[in-house]
């Protein structure tokens, strides 16, 4: 009996591999990891429960099949590689139940009816988990007196063999054996002669094999398969007559297309001298009488039955089969190899993503200028996070999802260190920006000159580079003229500068504060033209923004 396949250990091992992939190798979020792991556990439980039910059903069926006449006679210590051959006989007297013979070379199961071929094969499949190794169709014209019955049996066996091959989805080797008394002595010498196609050869239709045998017999080239050497001419003549009878009476039932059924293809044709007793007025005697006016006498023979076609055993296809535990081990190794391949593929993709992310962070850091110190500092912090992650891998070990020989992060550490060390903080912005009023306004006016944009744009860059600070715009004049008028003029000029900043940027009005001081806060005494020019100015002071409470 074949050892059972270790389904439960292999299934549990497969579940363990899937869980390991979900938890350690695949780039899932924690929620996805636990969800996928739960799905794997549920799937494994469903498979095991379904398998348990199937095993119970199969055990019930095996108990039913084991009570039949086929499996009861099979040897319990039979080797797994022992061939099992189904023997079918067309015509003659047959029993009602299959019988089994084990001669040390193979197990021969005699199937008495064509309708029993498929059930017997199913019993064998439940017992040994594979189909029979061959089917032997025997024809003994000396055991039949009714030609119509014999031909009907041949058609029935042909349909049964075709149905068996469709059921098992493979071509089971089929052999044709012919039995007759080919010598006139009473010796017990048996001899098999014919042609056999090796297991690697393609089967041939019966319509081509039997004529080929006749041609070889005509040229005295029909070899002896086993047993005694070539027989006398009378032996060859009887053999030739038996083949001719087969070609005329039996071959049309096997070698032609009937109701869409293709001709039966044979792996070999064998002829044997039999010691079995013949029946009176058998078909071969009638045919010899009609063709050659010969009337062979009936012979008592021996009650041994038809001989077994032993020469086909070495020519049977030998399919390598291993025990159940070995197949389970091979499957477990295959699953392990697939899991390792999946983990390596995930590790490769994870490392590619890690390297591409660090490259993008370095590129973004390099493209960010110091005129935007906030963005530059954010890019620097991202580089520091990347460096800390790689240093953590170096200290505690690379995680499984990035290992398997695919990790290349250590080569990026020097590059990150170099970029981080090269960072220089931007110089602090000036506490106050002073703009010459004559470069912005005409004398006594509060309207900006057309060429004032260049001066104001430089001041706006300093303001936008410090969005966290509020801009205080103050207008100043000299002491020439009416102080009240100078006060209003300085405030109007501050408002004009503020409005330009708002229009040229996305800063809100609340980011600015304006005030006019007139000539109350001179930088120098108004005792000369140069000093008065210094006092006419617009000052922009950046102060920290105080949130409202």
């Amino acid at each position: 009996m074949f050892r059972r396949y270790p389904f439960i250990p292999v299934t549990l091992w497969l579940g363990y591999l899937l869980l390991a992939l979900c938890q350690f190798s695949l780039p899932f979020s924690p929620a996805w990891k636990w969800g996928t792991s739960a799905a794997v556990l549920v799937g494994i439980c469903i498979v095991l429960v379904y398998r348990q039910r199937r095993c119970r059903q199969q055990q019930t069926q095996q108990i039913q099949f084991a009570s039949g006449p086929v499996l009861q006679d099979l040897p319990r210590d039979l080797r797994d590689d022992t061939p099992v051959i189904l023997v079918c006989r067309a015509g003659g007297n047959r029993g009602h139940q299959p019988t089994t013979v084990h001669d040390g070379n193979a197990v021969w199961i005699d199937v008495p009816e064509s309708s029993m071929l498929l059930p017997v094969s199913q019993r064998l499949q439940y017992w040994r988990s594979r189909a029979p190794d061959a089917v032997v169709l025997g024809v003994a014209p000396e055991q039949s007196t009714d030609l119509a019955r014999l031909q009907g049996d041949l058609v029935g066996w042909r349909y049964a063999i075709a149905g068996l091959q469709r059921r098992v989805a493979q071509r089971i080797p089929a052999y044709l054996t012919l039995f007759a008394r080919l010598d006139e002595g009473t010796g017990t010498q048996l001899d098999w002669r014919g042609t056999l196609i090796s297991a690697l050869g393609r089967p041939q239709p019966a319509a081509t094999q039997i004529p080929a045998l006749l041609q070889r017999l005509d040229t005295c080239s029909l070899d002896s398969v086993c047993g005694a050497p070539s027989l006398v001419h009378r032996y060859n003549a009887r053999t030739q007559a038996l083949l001719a009878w087969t070609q005329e009476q039996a071959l049309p039932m096997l070698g032609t297309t009937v109701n869409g059924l293709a001709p039966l293809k044979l792996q070999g044709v064998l002829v044997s001298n039999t010691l079995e007793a013949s029946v009176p007025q058998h078909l071969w005697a009638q045919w010899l009488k009609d063709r050659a006016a010969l009337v062979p006498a009936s012979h008592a023979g021996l009650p041994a039955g038809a001989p077994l076609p032993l020469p086909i055993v070495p020519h049977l296809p030998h399919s390598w089969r291993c025990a159940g535990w070995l197949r389970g081990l091979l499957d477990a190794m295959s699953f392990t190899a697939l899991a390792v391949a999946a983990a390596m593929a995930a590790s490769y993709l994870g490392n590619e993503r890690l390297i591409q992310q660090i490259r993008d962070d370095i590129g973004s850091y390099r493209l960010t200028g110091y005129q935007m110190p906030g963005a530059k500092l954010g890019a620097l912090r991202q580089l520091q996070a990347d460096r800390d992650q790689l240093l953590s891998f170096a200290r505690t070990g690379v995680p499984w999802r990035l290992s398997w020989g695919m990790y290349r992060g250590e080569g990026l550490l020097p590059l990150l260190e170099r970029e981080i060390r090269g960072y220089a903080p931007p110089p602090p912005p000036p506490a106050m920006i002073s703009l010459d009023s004559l470069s912005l306004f005409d004398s006594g006016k509060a309207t900006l000159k057309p060429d004032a944009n260049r001066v104001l744009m430089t001041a706006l860059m300093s303001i936008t580079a410090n969005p966290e600070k509020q801009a205080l715009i103050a207008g100043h004049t000299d002491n020439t003229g009416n102080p009240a008028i100078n006060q209003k003029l300085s405030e109007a000029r501050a408002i004009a500068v503020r409005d330009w900043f708002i229009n040229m940027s996305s800063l809100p009005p609340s980011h600015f504060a304006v005030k006019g001081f007139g000539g109350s806060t001179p930088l120098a005494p108004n005792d000369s033209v140069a000093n008065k020019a210094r006092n006419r100015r617009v000052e922009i002071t950046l102060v920290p923004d105080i949130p409202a409470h």
Side-chain angles (χ1 to χ4, degrees):
M1 187 69 67
F2 290 95
R3 297 184 180 178
R4 294 186 178 275
Y5 180 83
F7 183 84
I8 294 180
V10 172
T11 304
L12 293 177
W13 177 249
L14 177 61
Y16 171 77
L17 293 175
L18 292 177
L19 289 176
L21 283 176
C22 295
Q23 291 292 329
F24 303 110
S25 294
L26 299 181
F28 292 161
S29 63
W32 271 98
K33 285 183 178 180
W34 290 110
T36 308
S37 300
V40 170
L41 290 175
V42 172
I44 293 298
C45 292
I46 292 175
V47 170
L48 292 178
V49 171
Y50 175 77
R51 175 67 178 181
Q52 189 68 19
R53 292 182 177 179
R54 288 281 297 173
C55 288
R56 292 177 180 175
Q57 295 175 358
Q58 290 181 357
Q59 289 176 358
T60 303
Q61 292 175 346
Q62 287 177 356
I63 293 174
Q64 295 174 354
F65 280 116
S67 61
V70 177
L71 299 185
Q72 281 183 344
D73 299 333
L74 289 175
R76 297 304 174 187
D77 57 346
L78 191 64
R79 290 176 47 126
D80 294 348
D81 56 353
T82 300
V84 177
I85 303 171
L86 302 182
V87 180
C88 316
R89 295 189 63 180
N93 296 324
R94 299 182 293 264
H96 299 286
Q97 295 294 338
T99 57
T100 302
V101 176
H102 182 213
D103 62 350
N105 299 306
V107 174
W108 309 84
I109 300 178
D110 185 12
V111 183
E113 297 289 344
S114 59
S115 59
M116 301 180 66
L117 184 64
L118 187 57
V120 169
S121 300
Q122 289 177 339
R123 293 174 185 269
L124 287 174
Q125 282 186 298
Y126 278 109
W127 172 66
R128 67 201 298 256
S129 302
R130 62 189 176 108
D133 295 280
V135 176
V136 176
L137 178 58
V139 179
E142 291 183 331
Q143 306 299 319
S144 300
T145 59
D146 189 347
L147 180 60
R149 179 187 176 187
L150 176 64
Q151 292 179 341
D153 285 348
L154 290 175
V155 173
W157 284 116
R158 179 179 171 185
Y159 274 96
I161 294 173
L164 173 61
Q165 292 177 343
R166 286 195 302 269
R167 179 61 182 266
V168 301
Q170 69 182 55
R171 180 171 292 277
I172 299 176
Y175 298 88
L176 179 64
T177 56
L178 306 174
F179 306 100
R181 176 59 68 90
L182 302 177
D183 61 351
E184 296 180 353
T186 59
T188 59
Q189 183 87 22
L190 297 179
D191 183 62
W192 284 99
R193 313 174 73 200
T195 58
L196 291 173
I197 302 175
S198 66
L200 300 178
R202 296 178 61 86
Q204 299 295 328
T208 61
Q209 291 203 32
I210 293 180
L213 277 175
L214 282 171
Q215 183 179 3
R216 294 174 60 188
L217 192 62
D218 288 339
T219 58
C220 299
S221 60
L222 186 60
D223 299 328
S224 177
V225 177
C226 67
S230 300
L231 301 177
V232 294
H233 293 290
R234 185 179 295 275
Y235 193 109
N236 285 339
R238 287 178 175 270
T239 304
Q240 185 178 14
L242 179 60
L243 291 173
W245 174 88
T246 304
Q247 184 178 11
E248 181 178 333
Q249 303 292 342
L251 190 59
M253 304 298 105
L254 302 176
T256 58
T257 302
V258 179
N259 296 331
L261 185 63
L264 180 63
K265 292 186 177 182
L266 301 175
Q267 204 76 23
V269 177
L270 290 175
V271 181
S272 175
N273 179 39
T274 180
L275 304 179
E276 192 175 10
S278 62
V279 298
Q281 300 298 321
H282 53 79
L283 293 177
W284 193 27
Q286 299 174 15
W287 185 85
L288 288 175
K289 181 180 178 181
D290 295 339
R291 297 295 184 276
L294 297 176
V295 183
S298 300
H299 49 84
L302 299 174
L308 297 176
L310 298 179
I312 72 172
V313 175
H315 293 267
L316 291 176
H318 294 284
S319 58
W320 183 82
R321 296 180 60 84
C322 59
W325 67 269
L326 183 56
R327 288 189 291 120
L329 179 61
L330 293 177
D331 289 344
M333 293 174 63
S334 300
F335 292 147
T336 304
L338 291 176
V340 170
M344 293 180 68
S347 175
Y348 174 79
L349 296 177
N351 279 280
E352 288 295 321
R353 284 193 296 269
L354 176 65
I355 293 173
Q356 188 61 42
Q357 175 189 347
I358 294 177
R359 288 175 177 173
D360 293 343
D361 292 342
I362 292 176
S364 176
Y365 172 78
R366 290 176 176 175
L367 292 176
T368 304
Y370 284 98
Q371 64 272 19
M372 295 182 290
K376 187 73 171 181
L377 185 59
L380 175 66
R381 290 172 179 169
Q382 182 60 46
L383 292 186
Q384 292 173 340
D386 295 339
R387 179 198 60 186
D388 295 341
Q389 183 183 32
L390 297 183
L391 289 175
S392 175
F393 293 162
R395 289 192 304 267
T396 62
V398 181
W400 282 100
R401 59 184 177 84
L402 297 176
S403 56
W404 300 98
M406 305 289 178
Y407 181 67
R408 292 176 290 169
E410 64 275 359
L412 298 175
L413 268 176
L415 181 60
L416 289 173
E417 292 287 358
R418 185 167 61 251
E419 294 292 338
I420 293 173
R421 286 196 301 267
Y423 174 77
M432 183 180 63
I433 304 172
S434 180
L435 305 178
D436 186 6
S437 293
L438 291 180
S439 62
L440 301 177
F441 306 98
D442 291 329
S443 178
K445 303 293 184 182
T447 303
L448 291 171
K449 293 181 179 180
D451 57 350
N453 292 341
R454 182 178 60 83
V455 178
L456 293 175
M457 184 59 70
T458 302
L460 180 60
M461 292 177 61
S462 298
I463 295 173
T464 56
N466 297 273
E468 72 282 357
K469 293 185 178 182
Q470 193 176 29
L472 175 61
I473 305 174
H476 300 270
T477 63
D478 56 16
N479 61 352
T480 303
N482 190 338
I485 295 177
N486 288 340
Q487 171 68 28
K488 293 181 180 180
L489 179 61
S490 63
E491 185 174 354
R493 288 177 173 178
I495 293 174
V497 172
R498 180 202 63 184
D499 293 343
W500 189 92
F501 286 157
I502 294 173
N503 293 332
M504 298 301 293
S505 68
S506 59
L507 298 174
S510 59
H511 191 77
F512 301 93
V514 295
K515 187 175 180 60
F517 290 92
S520 62
T521 56
L523 292 178
N526 291 293
D527 54 2
S528 64
V529 176
N531 287 341
K532 288 183 177 182
R534 289 182 60 192
N535 292 331
R536 293 188 299 268
R537 66 197 186 276
V538 175
E539 294 179 345
I540 303 172
T541 306
L542 300 178
V543 297
D545 189 11
I546 302 176
H549 294 282

